[in-house]
Amino acid sequence: MIPIRRNASAAVRFEAATSSYQQAPGVVPDPRPAPDTPAPPAESYEPADTEAAYVSRETPTREEDDPPLAMEAMRAVQILNPSGEVTMPRPERTRVMCVANQKGGVGKTTTTVNLAVALALHGNRVLVVDLDPQGNASTGLNVPHHTGVPDVYDCLINSVPLEDVAQAVEGIPNLWCVPATIDLAGAEIELVSVVARESRLDRAITAYPGHFDYVFIDCPPSLGLLTVNALVAAQEVLIPIQCEYYALEGLNQLINNINLVRQHLNPRLEVSTILLTMYDRRTRLADAVEQDVRNHFGDKVLQAVIPRNVRVSEAPSYGQSVMTYDPGSRGATSYFEAAQEIAERGAKEPVSRNG
Ligand SMILES: Nc1ncnc2c1ncn2[C@@H]1O[C@H](COP(=O)(O)OP(=O)(O)OP(=O)(O)O)[C@@H](O)[C@H]1O
Ligand SMILES: [Mg+2]
């Protein structure tokens, strides 16, 4: 059990746990050679299981960037799962996962979209709730979200049922999206004067008659009322952490907010999953961040790590996830692995949701 989730002194401990950049005492020393130490032979960097290393890490060499076509095709078929078989175990109850990190650009939306598509392609019924006025998740899933389209704002402010605004995602069976239009930008302020303002989304999700295996809520990069609504509606928080120095800075604040929501509004809430994103194996900092995050959050951190991969960033401009845009790419394979881990963990430790 990770202490940060449970008590008020968590922030202090988290500072300690994340301070190895300053070589704080008690922190495992950096095993890498000093800059002027001659590099060991190249093969000593190769992990024993090259297959596993291949799928979870972006690597610098040209050959590894372009995996053999046959292997790529095989992975693509595995990811697209044309048979429609249920290959990722479905949870006993709906898992509502809030994808949150108030830092911008860390991969919340990319993670939401790709995990949702991966799980849906493998037999799970998935709903994505776009709770960010930027509407990036709606764009990534190619769901219309221009002004005038019924959206999550209508559900939060005007009590419109979610099923009236959810749209089926074209080309992906089992996947629906509640879009966000620019209207949502006003919700943060309008919610202040609405009854039960923190639990509007929770009520809407609970009232949704269709059964989902997963509901992913893509949060905006802030800790305002929209994010609070997501935290109240969820049982699980998934925190994407970008493998760079500043990525860790705002985490205390996020964890404190999660603790407050747990104490006052949603006792079942827990940080269940941490996903390292935009990992660049070429930088030592990425390793240091990974080590710190794993030391602190333990097995909440998924083994799968998402590499920085150009296919991942190209996909949204085609209204696609990387899973369908380039299913043989390393970005797709890594998100597929992350989804599989999440599904398997959920099957082992069923999470409950009322109703
Ligand atoms: N693994 C990756 N490799 C390369 N680019 C990535 C990767 N993941 C995300 N990106 C790109 O980084 C940018 C930020 O990602 P994303 O929009 O998912 O972050 P976010 O946390 O949702 O941002 P915001 O806080 O603004 O909502 C996007 O342009 C996205 O395409
Ligand atoms: Mg986003």
Side-chain angles (χ1 to χ4, degrees), residues 103-110 132 134 136 221 278 306-309 312-313 316:
K103 182 167 165 45
V106 298
K108 293 179 290 294
T109 302
T110 307
D132 185 349
Q134 298 179 97
N136 295 154
M278 292 185 242
I306 310 302
R308 190 173 278 284
N309 177 265
V312 173
S313 54

Side-chain angles (χ1 to χ4, degrees), residues 27-283:
V27 172
V28 181
D30 187 344
R32 293 160 308 190
D36 52 352
T37 312
E43 63 268 24
S44 68
Y45 286 120
E46 280 303 315
D49 181 358
T50 48
E51 178 75 358
Y54 161 70
V55 291
S56 292
R57 299 284 194 281
E58 186 157 62
T59 50
T61 65
R62 190 67 209 148
E63 294 80 355
E64 286 171 82
D65 269 347
D66 294 325
L69 274 179
M71 190 189 288
E72 199 176 312
M74 208 176 70
R75 286 178 199 284
V77 171
Q78 187 188 23
I79 284 172
L80 291 173
N81 190 29
S83 69
E85 242 177 280
V86 180
T87 49
M88 289 186 190
R90 296 175 64 183
E92 276 177 30
R93 308 237 175 88
T94 308
R95 294 176 71 183
V96 182
M97 302 185 81
C98 163
V99 182
N101 187 336
Q102 83 276 21
K103 182 167 165 45
V106 298
K108 293 179 290 294
T109 302
T110 307
T111 296
T112 301
V113 165
N114 287 295
L115 291 179
V117 170
L119 286 158
L121 285 174
H122 291 265
N124 283 263
R125 283 172 61 86
V126 184
L127 177 70
V128 169
V129 177
D130 189 349
L131 204 59
D132 185 349
Q134 298 179 97
N136 295 154
S138 314
T139 306
L141 293 169
N142 203 20
V143 169
H145 62 107
H146 48 268
T147 312
V149 172
D151 76 333
V152 69
Y153 170 91
D154 298 307
C155 306
L156 295 173
I157 305 291
N158 302 324
S159 305
V160 172
L162 275 188
E163 65 266 33
D164 289 359
V165 305
Q167 301 183 39
V169 175
E170 215 183 305
I172 313 285
N174 309 315
L175 182 58
W176 289 262
C177 174
V178 173
T181 71
I182 193 66
D183 288 352
L184 189 59
E188 200 82 70
I189 295 173
E190 287 175 57
L191 273 171
V192 172
S193 53
V194 167
V195 178
R197 59 189 177 188
E198 297 97 351
S199 46
R200 306 288 293 184
L201 185 63
D202 182 40
R203 288 180 183 193
I205 291 176
T206 306
Y208 200 124
H211 171 80
F212 291 104
D213 296 310
Y214 289 88
V215 177
F216 286 99
I217 308 168
D218 183 29
C219 289
S222 72
L223 293 172
L225 265 177
L226 287 173
T227 299
V228 170
N229 262 272
L231 292 173
V232 172
Q235 314 103 25
E236 299 182 55
V237 186
L238 188 167
I239 307 178
I241 296 181
Q242 186 180 351
C243 296
E244 57 141 52
Y245 180 77
Y246 293 121
L248 295 169
E249 285 209 330
L251 274 189
N252 281 331
Q253 219 184 333
L254 175 62
I255 300 289
N256 285 342
N257 274 36
I258 292 169
N259 287 337
L260 281 174
V261 170
R262 187 188 309 114
Q263 279 163 24
H264 299 289
L265 296 162
N266 179 11
R268 66 202 168 150
L269 185 68
E270 64 160 333
V271 176
S272 68
T273 313
I274 308 283
L275 178 62
L276 293 161
T277 63
M278 292 185 242
Y279 183 96
D280 188 341
R281 192 176 170 183
R282 287 164 290 193
T283 68

